[in-house]
Amino acid sequence: MSLSGAAVGSSRNLRRAVEFGKTHVVRPKGKHQATIVWLHGLGDNGSSWSQLLETLPLPNIKWICPTAPSQPISLFGGFPSTAWFDVVDINEDGPDDVEGLDVAAAHVANLLSNEPADIKLGVGGFSMGAGTSLYSATCFALGKYGNGNPYPINLSTVIGLSGWLPCAKTLVGKLEEEQIKNRAASLPILVCHGKGDDVVPFKFGEKSSQALISHGFKKVTFKPYGGLGHYTIPQEMDELSAWLTSTLALEG
């Protein structure tokens, strides 16, 4: 049976009604210490990443891998694809689909909302999944979504592989309040990008990490990978695992 349903919670006031695909869950093999929602890239699904994440040496993490709704993509001339939000063009000046980003970020928050109080919560992803994850980081810091609805989750970690930071230009002047500054400064973020990426150029990942740092996200780690294209490799997954173990103080 397909575990699908429209985003709820803070997304209920949005005009866009979407139906998410199947959600795949990887249960922790050891003591449950953290839950991370992992978001796939454009045209993919939650299953492929759940299979990879299950192989990582991270027995204390529960992974939740949802599948994005199928929706028309402007980049593809309106042809539908599984996507967290619409993409008009992959360039720095392209418009951001704030409504779609809010729906996706609210879906992530909803998936994390029922986790036990003592569990550390995070979001990560690849490509546009990374975009949604980094957008969620800004929502957490600001305490609200782009539409003004309150952001309800206390994030402990954010990961973005081969992606970019949507709405970076709109952050100017918004992270000045002390409470917002503290949330931004305390959130560990890992950004990884391949120098050979021909889909989402390397400079997007590099500039996104620089933008986060310039806006007060003090715990950003940026890892470049020479020769890596728009995919992941064991070295990247090994370093991600080590970073998560250290950042979340996992028992292993």
Side-chain angles (χ1 to χ4, degrees), residues 89-94 134 162-166 168-169 191-212 222-225 228-230:
D89 195 10
I90 299 179
N91 66 53
E92 293 171 80
D93 299 315
L134 296 178
S162 306
W164 70 95
L165 173 63
K169 293 174 182 174
V191 179
C192 303
H193 217 108
K195 291 187 174 181
D197 196 327
D198 58 353
V199 178
V200 180
F202 173 76
K203 67 177 182 179
F204 283 28
E206 188 175 41
K207 286 186 176 182
S208 293
S209 64
Q210 292 169 351
L212 287 164
F222 180 65
K223 288 185 175 288
Y225 291 87
L228 177 64
H230 198 63

Side-chain angles (χ1 to χ4, degrees), residues 4-252:
S4 61
V8 296
S10 293
S11 67
R12 65 177 178 269
N13 297 325
L14 296 175
R15 289 181 287 108
R16 185 180 303 183
V18 294
E19 187 165 310
F20 291 87
K22 188 173 183 180
T23 297
H24 300 262
V25 178
V26 178
R27 305 283 176 188
K29 298 177 179 69
K31 179 185 176 184
H32 184 197
Q33 291 180 274
T35 296
I36 298 176
V37 173
W38 190 269
L39 306 172
H40 62 76
L42 181 63
D44 202 357
N45 58 65
S47 175
S48 58
W49 276 99
S50 71
Q51 293 172 47
L52 173 60
L53 295 169
E54 194 166 16
T55 67
L56 300 184
L58 295 167
N60 308 113
I61 295 181
K62 172 185 174 182
W63 299 94
I64 301 176
C65 303
T67 298
S70 180
Q71 53 186 309
I73 303 300
S74 298
L75 185 66
F76 298 159
F79 191 81
S81 181
T82 51
W84 301 110
F85 52 91
D86 188 26
V87 179
V88 175
D89 195 10
I90 299 179
N91 66 53
E92 293 171 80
D93 299 315
D96 290 302
D97 176 17
V98 179
E99 186 180 0
L101 283 159
D102 279 346
V103 171
H107 186 61
V108 170
N110 186 54
L111 290 170
L112 291 170
S113 64
N114 293 319
E115 292 301 295
D118 60 336
I119 300 300
K120 295 173 182 176
L121 307 176
V123 56
F126 176 80
S127 193
M128 71 158 21
T132 306
S133 300
L134 296 178
Y135 179 75
S136 295
T138 64
C139 292
F140 163 70
L142 293 167
K144 60 185 179 181
Y145 297 98
N147 63 9
N149 287 342
Y151 186 79
I153 300 299
N154 183 25
L155 291 177
S156 294
T157 188
V158 173
I159 301 159
L161 309 184
S162 306
W164 70 95
L165 173 63
C167 305
K169 293 174 182 174
T170 68
L171 293 175
V172 178
K174 289 186 177 178
L175 294 107
E176 302 301 322
E177 292 178 25
E178 204 62 31
Q179 200 173 12
I180 294 174
K181 279 184 177 179
N182 291 340
R183 283 196 295 264
S186 67
L187 180 62
I189 302 175
L190 176 65
V191 179
C192 303
H193 217 108
K195 291 187 174 181
D197 196 327
D198 58 353
V199 178
V200 180
F202 173 76
K203 67 177 182 179
F204 283 28
E206 188 175 41
K207 286 186 176 182
S208 293
S209 64
Q210 292 169 351
L212 287 164
I213 293 168
S214 71
H215 288 299
F217 290 86
K218 297 180 179 179
K219 292 187 175 182
V220 175
T221 299
F222 180 65
K223 288 185 175 288
Y225 291 87
L228 177 64
H230 198 63
Y231 49 87
T232 188
I233 51 174
Q235 179 192 353
E236 185 179 42
M237 288 292 103
D238 290 346
E239 293 184 356
L240 180 154
S241 297
W243 184 84
L244 278 174
T245 299
S246 172
T247 299
L248 298 177
L250 301 176
E251 293 178 8

